[in-house]
Amino acid sequence: MQILINAASAHMGGSVTYLQNVLRRLPEEAAVHRVVVYVPEATTDVLPDRPKVDVRPYPYSSTRGPSRLYFDQVEIPRISGREEVDVLFSATGFGTVWSPAPQVLLVRNMKYFDPRFEEKYRALGRSFLKTRLRRWHSLLSIGAADAVLFPTRAMGETVGAYVSLDGTPTRALHYGYDGSDFTATGEAGDAVPDALRPRAAGEGPLLLNVSTYAVHKNLEALIEALPHLLDHYPTLTLATTTSREQTSDIDEYDALKERAATLGVTDAWVELGYVPHAGLPPVYRAADAYVFPSFTESFGHSMVEALACGLPVVAADTAVNREVCADAGVYFAPFDSTDCAQAVRCVLDDDVRRAEQRRAAVRRAGHFSWKRYTEDLVEIFQQAATGG
């Protein structure tokens, strides 16, 4: 089977993690003879060098607007015909409307469909027009696809409020994690970032959040919770992988930094900035709890990695977060900083409960597997290619 993957907008974060893991395993499947994948030029350097995988740079400087539209709707069909592919896999939510090959579409951006995101944008006085146009584009792509994948059932249900999915084969496939690196055993030691090392060895509890800053990540709720937590744990530290250089929501990021200064929690908040994926396991293991305040996500790779490292997870109470963490998580009302602080205290105050949550986290992590995901993905490709 010849597979063409269009991942033209896979710049960073979860989309790159996804490709790294899927491309590492696709060649191991007997049914896969060749994979051609298009990604941004910078992403070509971080993808695995695997037999049967031909990684090619997306040919334009912008992955949005007319050039991306031309690539998806004109060049991809030409490439499909020239390469005689059996399946087109559109892996970043936007597809080819007239594909000469059967098309499998992965819809992975919840922001286009979650009403809470639109409400948040409007509350910030920001235009929602571009996001609404992308939602329309994604819905058009769903209508053109031969099969549609979602990272979670909850996301599929959210999209189903905008379009009927009855006539299209759909499947919710949970992503996996790297079980060789993300484990509960091992010592953080010297591998933790320099900025974190003194805090990791300190007496106070260490909270962790791994993400870039974005409006939907809802870090405001976590920062607002810090004064409540510091009243009980004066030496508590919150470590995040945020930085001003790694966000497109600069105004909101700056406002959050100012708010942290006003609240007097700047010293308790350590920004690690970008941490390479391979460097994350010891960072997780150094923490006492993982806090995931995002009010909208399609999955949440970092939650699964935290679970695998045996971390108690405290997450915003959303359908996706509950689907991912199940009974291994403790949940709080997404925009309620007091409830967030109370949920964190439920973990930190009770040694017995924290130990049980660590065990539950490792058990829950066993549900997620990139090997199983890739096997299911290839099965879906075969069904699409044969019209099954």
Side-chain angles (χ1 to χ4, degrees):
M1 184 166 51
Q2 313 270 359
I3 303 166
L4 172 61
I5 301 178
N6 181 1
S9 58
H11 291 285
M12 64 174 68
S15 60
V16 174
T17 300
Y18 176 85
L19 283 175
Q20 288 171 329
N21 284 282
V22 169
L23 292 179
R24 189 173 292 121
R25 290 162 178 82
L26 270 180
E28 299 170 0
E29 297 297 316
V32 176
H33 301 139
R34 183 167 175 252
V35 180
V36 176
V37 54
Y38 282 86
V39 295
E41 187 169 5
T43 304
T44 62
D45 296 331
V46 299
L47 295 182
D49 182 11
R50 298 286 285 144
K52 301 193 286 187
V53 176
D54 181 0
V55 178
R56 301 177 183 176
Y58 169 78
Y60 303 106
S61 59
S62 174
T63 57
R64 296 179 178 177
S67 56
R68 173 65 186 279
L69 193 64
Y70 181 80
F71 181 76
D72 287 354
Q73 309 308 326
V74 178
E75 293 202 31
I76 282 292
R78 289 175 179 170
I79 296 166
S80 297
R82 185 170 66 244
E83 302 285 348
E84 298 181 338
V85 303
D86 298 294
V87 175
L88 167 62
F89 182 34
S90 297
T92 54
F94 302 118
T96 297
V97 177
W98 292 285
S99 173
Q103 179 175 200
V104 176
L105 176 72
L106 172 61
V107 181
R108 55 175 297 137
N109 199 324
M110 184 71 105
K111 293 186 295 183
Y112 303 153
F113 304 98
D114 193 331
R116 289 171 298 187
F117 185 74
E118 182 170 0
E119 291 170 7
K120 184 70 171 179
Y121 249 46
R122 293 192 183 285
L124 292 170
R126 295 176 60 170
S127 171
F128 198 71
L129 179 60
K130 288 183 179 179
T131 304
R132 184 171 289 174
L133 288 173
R134 290 171 190 149
R135 179 172 66 202
W136 173 83
H137 188 183
S138 188
L139 292 172
L140 186 66
S141 300
I142 289 171
D146 297 279
V148 179
L149 306 182
F150 300 104
T152 50
R153 293 184 301 277
M155 180 165 187
E157 291 167 0
T158 301
V159 173
Y162 292 89
V163 62
S164 173
L165 299 171
D166 293 340
T168 304
T170 62
R171 185 97 173 261
L173 294 183
H174 288 167
Y175 302 145
Y177 72 97
D178 189 339
S180 62
D181 292 329
F182 292 90
T183 66
T185 58
E187 297 295 331
D190 294 335
V192 300
D194 290 342
L196 186 59
R197 193 174 296 127
R199 310 292 182 116
E203 296 180 359
L206 177 62
L207 306 180
L208 177 66
N209 174 265
V210 174
S211 73
T212 55
Y213 177 85
V215 167
H216 70 282
K217 300 294 184 180
N218 195 31
L219 286 173
E220 288 76 10
L222 183 50
I223 296 301
E224 294 283 347
L226 283 182
H228 305 286
L229 292 168
L230 289 167
D231 285 344
H232 296 276
Y233 312 101
T235 56
L236 177 142
T237 297
L238 167 66
T240 68
T241 55
T242 52
S243 71
R244 196 174 192 273
E245 293 72 29
Q246 292 285 322
T247 182
S248 58
D249 293 333
I250 291 176
D251 290 345
E252 289 75 20
Y253 173 86
D254 288 345
L256 180 60
K257 294 290 286 187
E258 291 177 9
R259 181 59 178 161
T262 300
L263 292 170
V265 299
T266 301
D267 290 343
W269 178 17
V270 175
E271 287 191 286
L272 304 175
Y274 173 73
V275 177
H277 197 246
L280 285 173
V283 177
Y284 283 113
R285 288 193 288 265
D288 296 291
Y290 188 76
V291 187
F292 192 79
S294 296
F295 65 82
T296 185
E297 295 280 359
S298 62
F299 184 71
H301 288 283
S302 65
M303 281 194 296
V304 175
E305 292 168 353
L307 291 171
C309 291
L311 270 185
V313 174
V314 180
D317 194 355
T318 70
V320 167
N321 293 349
R322 281 190 176 270
E323 183 176 336
V324 171
C325 293
D327 61 359
V330 175
Y331 304 96
F332 63 91
F335 302 106
D336 189 333
S337 59
T338 302
D339 199 33
C340 176
Q342 289 174 343
V344 172
R345 288 194 60 195
C346 282
V347 172
L348 297 182
D349 286 354
D350 189 333
D351 292 342
V352 174
R353 178 171 184 171
R354 187 166 65 254
E356 173 52 35
Q357 271 204 267
R358 286 185 178 277
R359 291 190 291 269
V362 174
R363 288 195 300 269
R364 181 58 183 166
H367 169 79
F368 303 96
S369 164
W370 279 121
K371 182 178 186 299
R372 185 164 56 246
Y373 180 96
T374 307
E375 290 171 350
D376 290 343
L377 185 64
V378 170
E379 179 183 336
I380 291 166
F381 288 164
Q382 290 178 304
Q383 291 171 349
T386 59

